[in-house]
Amino acid sequence: MKRPRSLPVQIFLALLAGVAVGLLCFFLPGGGDFAAGYLKPFGDIFVNLLKFIVVPVVLFSMIQGILSMEDMRKVGSVGLKTVLYFLCTTAIACTVGLAMGSIFDRAGLFPVLDAADTDYEIAAFGGFMTTLVGIFPSNMWQAFTNANMLQVIVIALFFGGAILTAGEKGRLCHEIVFSFYAVIEKLMTFIIRLSPIGVFAYMAWVVATQGAQVLGSLALVLLCAYIAYVVHAVLVYSSAARVFGKLRPFTFFRKAIPAMIFGFTSASSAATLPVSKECAEDMGADPDVSSFVLPLGATINMDGTAIYQCVATVFLASCAGIDLTLRQMVLVVITATLASVGTAGVSGAGMIMLAMVLEAIQIPVAYIGLIIAVDRLFDMGRTCLNVVGDISCAVCVSRWEGRKQP
Ligand code: ASP
C-alpha cells in the first residue's frame, strides 16, 4: 500500500503542536475544560473511525494471511514462532518491570500513599478454565458486535483453514476475502490520512488535563515505568531487530515512529493496527506474515502492559506495606504474562487486568484506586511499547520464514 511520504512528518508535527496547545490550555484558566470539550472529541472521532474497521481488519487480514501462506503447515509454523516470540518477550518484560520497580522501591523513591479512601470496583475473574471456554465463540455475530478480538481470531483461524482445505469449492470465498481485504486497505489509507488531526487533538487534551498529575506524587512511579519501557525496547527489540531481523536498530525504530506516535496518543493497539502494518511492511516484513502476526499481536502481545502491571504491583505492594518475596515475584511474572495476554488492545484495559495480578499475591484490589487518575499516562507509554513489540515480531518471523525482502 502506498503511503504519502510526508505522513510520519505530519504526525510528528501534530504531536508537537498538540503538546504546545495542551500546555497553553494547561496554564490558561478554563483551558482544561476547553481541551476536554472541544479538542478531545476530534481525537474520539478519529479513534472511533479506526475502531469501526478493527473487527473487519483483524478478521480479513488473518484469513487473507492464512490463505496467502497456502499451506496449513506453514500457518502452524508461523503461528508457533509468533506465540513463542510473544511469550518470551513478555516474560522478559515482566522481569524488567519487576527489577525496575524493586530498584525504585529499595531506593525509597516510591511515595507511600494511603488507600483508605479508594473505592475501586473489583472485577470478577471466572478463573482460567472459564476464560479458556470464553475464547471459543458460540455466536459469530456476537463476537463481531462485542469486538471480542480473541473470538474474532478463533473465527479467522477456522475460516482460513476451512477455505484452504475446501480447495476448488472454496474458490469463491477465497476471492471474496481478497476483494474485501483490498477494499478495507483502501479504507485504512483514507482514515490514516486523518491521523495528524487525531494525534493533535488527543495530545493537546492529555497535556491540558493531566499535566498536573505529572507534577504530582505519582511522577516517580511514572518515571519508573517509562524507564522500564525504554530499557525493554532498547534491550529486546534492538537485539531482535539486529540479530533476527537483520535491521539496524536505528532503522527499526525510525521506521516504527508513525506507529509509536500513534499508539502513544490513541492508547489502543487495536486502533493502531493499520499503521503498524504499514510500518512493518516498510521494514520489509512479508505482507502475508504481517497480516497474520500483527492482528494476533494487537490482541495478545502486550509487553508494555506487562511492565506496567509489574511496576504498579511493586508500588502498590509498598503502599500496602508488603515486601514481595521471591515466590511472590515469580507469581507476579506468571500472572502478569497471562494478564497481558488477556488484556484487550483498547485504552485502559491493562489497568483492569492489573486486578488479576494483585489478587494472585493478595494485595487488595481497591489499591488500584491509587493510580487510576494517571492511568492514561501509563497507558500511552505501554501501548507505544506494545505496538513496537508486535512490529518486531512481524519482522523477525518474516525473516525466519525466509520471506522477507529487506
Ligand atoms: N491500551 C493498551 C493497548 O491497547 C492495553 C492496556 O491498557 O494496557 O495496547
Side-chain angles (χ1 to χ4, degrees):
M1 197 191 330
K2 194 93 184 100
R3 171 164 46 83
R5 280 212 169 273
S6 59
L7 191 64
V9 178
Q10 284 177 23
I11 293 180
F12 186 65
L13 293 178
L15 180 91
L16 295 183
V19 173
V21 171
L23 282 174
L24 207 65
C25 293
F26 179 61
F27 288 111
L28 286 178
D33 292 341
F34 171 79
Y38 296 99
L39 294 179
K40 180 175 177 275
F42 289 98
D44 289 341
I45 292 175
F46 179 63
V47 168
N48 283 352
L49 285 178
L50 281 169
K51 279 192 185 156
F52 104 80
I53 54 163
V54 156
V55 170
V57 166
V58 170
L59 183 72
F60 287 106
S61 166
M62 284 204 80
I63 301 183
Q64 192 242 23
I66 292 170
L67 297 181
S68 305
M69 287 188 241
E70 289 174 0
D71 178 359
M72 277 318 270
R73 268 174 310 184
K74 181 111 214 154
V75 177
S77 142
V78 170
L80 189 69
K81 288 180 180 115
T82 304
V83 171
L84 280 179
Y85 184 95
F86 287 166
L87 285 179
C88 291
T89 53
T90 306
I92 297 173
C94 290
T95 315
V96 171
L98 263 187
M100 202 52 74
S102 305
I103 291 172
F104 268 65
D105 190 29
R106 297 268 148 85
L109 294 174
F110 282 157
V112 179
L113 304 180
D114 185 3
D117 298 333
T118 65
D119 51 359
Y120 183 77
E121 290 263 329
I122 297 173
F125 290 106
F128 180 73
M129 290 320 274
T130 318
T131 311
L132 185 68
V133 172
I135 293 174
F136 295 88
S138 61
N139 183 325
M140 194 159 80
W141 310 119
Q142 236 169 36
F144 297 157
T145 51
N146 297 339
N148 184 327
M149 299 322 272
L150 281 177
Q151 292 191 349
V152 173
I153 283 174
V154 170
I155 293 169
L157 287 175
F158 275 104
F159 265 94
I163 297 172
L164 258 191
T165 40
E168 234 355 86
K169 288 197 178 145
R171 194 80 229 150
L172 182 60
C173 278
H174 195 290
E175 273 154 23
I176 288 175
V177 167
F178 275 78
S179 169
F180 248 113
Y181 193 67
V183 174
I184 288 168
E185 279 203 310
K186 273 277 160 272
L187 208 57
M188 290 196 291
T189 314
F190 294 150
I191 298 174
I192 290 171
R193 281 207 191 126
L194 302 173
S195 56
I197 302 174
V199 167
F200 165 78
Y202 265 149
M203 210 54 219
W205 162 65
V206 169
V207 174
T209 56
Q210 317 232 341
Q213 311 280 2
V214 177
L215 308 171
S217 58
L218 289 164
L220 282 172
V221 189
L222 268 170
L223 179 70
C224 175
Y226 274 81
I227 293 178
Y229 296 153
V230 173
V231 167
H232 184 71
V234 170
L235 272 183
V236 178
Y237 304 145
S238 295
S239 325
R242 171 165 309 274
V243 178
F244 304 124
K246 305 282 180 256
L247 274 177
R248 284 194 308 137
F250 178 75
T251 311
F252 172 79
F253 285 110
R254 184 174 54 77
K255 294 196 171 184
I257 284 176
M260 287 166 74
I261 295 184
F262 201 77
F264 187 73
T265 44
S266 69
S268 168
S269 312
T272 312
L273 194 48
V275 190
S276 314
K277 197 163 179 320
E278 293 213 350
C279 292
E281 284 165 22
D282 191 29
M283 292 178 203
D286 173 24
D288 301 347
V289 172
S290 68
S291 295
F292 181 87
V293 170
L294 291 174
L296 194 61
T299 311
I300 65 167
N301 183 42
M302 310 265 168
D303 292 357
T305 302
I307 288 180
Y308 153 80
Q309 286 169 341
C310 291
V311 169
T313 303
V314 176
F315 165 61
L316 297 178
S318 113
C319 292
I322 298 171
D323 237 347
L324 294 182
T325 61
L326 189 63
R327 190 188 144 273
Q328 281 174 316
M329 289 200 184
V330 173
L331 210 57
V332 169
V333 171
I334 296 170
T335 44
T337 303
L338 293 176
S340 68
V341 169
T343 300
V346 295
S347 85
M351 190 193 67
I352 296 165
M353 295 302 283
L354 173 62
M356 184 172 147
V357 186
L358 296 184
E359 274 186 347
I361 55 165
Q362 279 147 22
I363 294 176
V365 174
Y367 271 79
I368 293 180
L370 289 176
I371 48 170
I372 279 185
V374 285
D375 186 59
R376 180 83 191 187
L377 298 174
F378 282 112
D379 200 357
M380 292 163 76
R382 64 187 189 238
T383 309
C384 176
L385 197 67
N386 290 346
V387 299
V388 182
D390 300 339
I391 296 173
S392 80
C393 181
V395 171
C396 293
V397 175
S398 292
R399 190 79 192 185
W400 290 330
E401 288 297 311
R403 292 168 151 238
K404 181 174 156 276
Q405 318 101 32

